[in-house]
Amino acid sequence: MQCFVVSDSFVFNCTPSDGNPLPNTFVFQRDGIAITEGVNSSTLFVGPLSRSNTGNYTCTAGNVVGSVTIATFLNVIAVPSAPQDLEAILNGPFSVAITWDPPSVRGGTVQPLSYSIRVTNSTYDMIFNTLLTELTLNMSNGVWHSTMYSVTVAAENEAGSGSFVGSNFITPDSVPIIDSISVEVLPYSLVSLVVELLTTGGRNINKYEVKIIKATGHNSPIIDQEIVITLNDLVPFQYTIVDDQYYNITVIAINSVGSSDPITTVTLLEPASTGVTPLSDNIVGISVGGALGGFFLGVLITALCLLGVIICYRRQCCRN
């Protein structure tokens, strides 16, 4: 058997090495059907080849004494058709499983097909090769994280590679990335925390860790308490503060891949009803004052006065 690829040329030479007298008639056939085109005496030329030229070729050479027949099988190989039913599925935060079915047309090859898997986006173009109809890619490299990729596959044989087809899209996950956090002091000694995540960071965040460090003292704050709160969601998150205390708030976002870098508050928003004194080392002093503090102080004094009146009244009644 002789193998040629599409567009090649096939030359069948039918000159016997002996015979007396030498042969003077030559008959060429393919699969038992006579061929006249491309015949030049004892030579047959076929080209450019296509898959339809595949077949069993014979040449019968004769003289006055008799004839002899030689044969060869010509296999013309074309590039295979496209693989079928491509699937690219994330089977974990760091890997993607890619599977496909063989092409319906192998192109005439008797050798195993090979496959090229192409993973691309606007920046990267990566090709992976295999003889199987499946491939698992490790995507732990930071290049992959949280970026959408197109996945295509092509089959290849001796004639070359077919077209890449598929266009499955995958977006591997990564650790979250916190862009910023902001803290606002609300009336009634509440703190509201807002966290902004970068869209290029990880997805599927399943919890947050909020660490609150509380310190005492205006001039040289002394840390007296550290609280770690685990939350499934930060919307909304509020925390009650205490007058004359200082707070440092740190947030970490967590998903199945890992944890973000911790981000710590630097400033607090200051409503008109609340006094806020930022200190060094990200320690934020929060004191409830202004109109709100005066209001509570007035309420407290009024309550004490009423209590005193009630006590005096009862004592007077007891004497009577």
Side-chain angles (χ1 to χ4, degrees):
M1 181 175 69
Q2 300 186 63
C3 293
F4 290 81
V5 299
V6 167
S7 299
D8 281 353
S9 299
F10 169 58
V11 177
F12 190 6
N13 194 333
C14 189
T15 302
S17 58
D18 54 11
N20 187 19
L22 290 175
N24 56 4
T25 62
F26 301 91
V27 177
F28 291 92
Q29 293 182 325
R30 189 192 73 201
D31 297 331
I33 300 174
I35 301 173
T36 57
E37 185 177 352
V39 175
N40 181 12
S41 184
S42 62
T43 302
L44 171 65
F45 175 86
V46 183
L49 293 171
S50 66
R51 282 286 296 151
S52 62
N53 296 125
T54 295
N56 187 46
Y57 287 76
T58 61
C59 174
T60 301
N63 60 12
V64 294
V65 178
S67 63
V68 63
T69 298
I70 58 175
T72 187
F73 184 82
L74 173 64
N75 184 27
V76 181
I77 301 173
V79 295
S81 61
Q84 305 174 84
D85 300 327
L86 172 69
E87 285 189 331
I89 301 174
L90 288 170
N91 58 7
F94 292 125
S95 67
V96 58
I98 306 172
T99 61
W100 59 92
D101 290 334
S104 58
V105 178
R106 294 173 52 87
T109 183
V110 295
Q111 300 297 322
L113 294 175
S114 61
Y115 298 94
S116 296
I117 297 87
R118 190 173 191 176
V119 183
T120 62
N121 65 6
S122 59
T123 306
Y124 300 97
D125 190 345
M126 296 161 280
I127 295 181
F128 306 88
N129 299 302
T130 180
L131 295 176
L132 306 176
T133 56
E134 61 182 4
L135 181 68
T136 298
L137 297 181
N138 184 341
M139 309 179 94
S140 58
N141 190 311
V143 167
W144 299 88
H145 285 172
S146 294
T147 304
M148 180 175 288
Y149 290 84
S150 169
V151 180
T152 55
V153 62
E156 185 175 353
N157 62 14
E158 301 96 313
S161 177
S163 300
F164 282 90
V165 295
S167 294
N168 270 43
F169 291 94
I170 54 174
T171 305
D173 211 346
S174 70
V175 296
I177 301 175
I178 298 178
D179 183 29
S180 65
I181 63 175
S182 60
V183 179
E184 179 182 3
V185 179
L186 305 175
Y188 307 108
S189 302
L190 289 177
V191 168
S192 175
L193 178 63
V194 177
V195 177
E196 296 291 337
L197 298 171
L198 285 182
T199 56
T200 56
R203 300 165 294 132
N204 303 319
I205 296 173
N206 50 40
K207 66 178 178 178
Y208 295 86
E209 284 188 359
V210 180
K211 182 166 71 173
I212 301 173
I213 298 177
K214 184 174 67 173
T216 303
H218 287 278
N219 297 324
S220 300
I222 300 174
I223 295 175
D224 61 6
Q225 187 177 21
E226 181 175 314
I227 304 169
V228 177
I229 303 172
T230 300
L231 303 167
N232 294 328
D233 197 348
L234 279 176
V235 183
F237 171 69
Q238 293 184 346
Y239 179 76
T240 302
I241 61 176
V242 179
D243 192 18
D244 293 328
Q245 297 291 309
Y246 302 88
Y247 294 87
N248 175 302
I249 301 177
T250 301
V251 178
I252 298 174
I254 303 170
N255 65 5
S256 59
V257 180
S259 303
S260 68
D261 292 332
I263 300 295
T264 302
T265 55
V266 176
T267 60
L268 292 181
L269 299 178
E270 183 177 358
S273 60
T274 306
V276 181
T277 307
L279 301 179
S280 60
D281 299 327
N282 294 338
I283 298 292
V284 180
I286 305 172
S287 61
V288 180
L292 182 63
F295 171 78
F296 280 116
L297 181 59
V299 170
L300 179 60
I301 293 174
T302 302
L304 290 175
C305 291
L306 289 174
L307 181 61
V309 170
I310 293 171
I311 293 174
C312 291
Y313 176 77
R314 287 185 175 179
R315 287 179 177 177
Q316 186 65 32
C317 291
C318 291
R319 290 176 181 175
N320 293 334

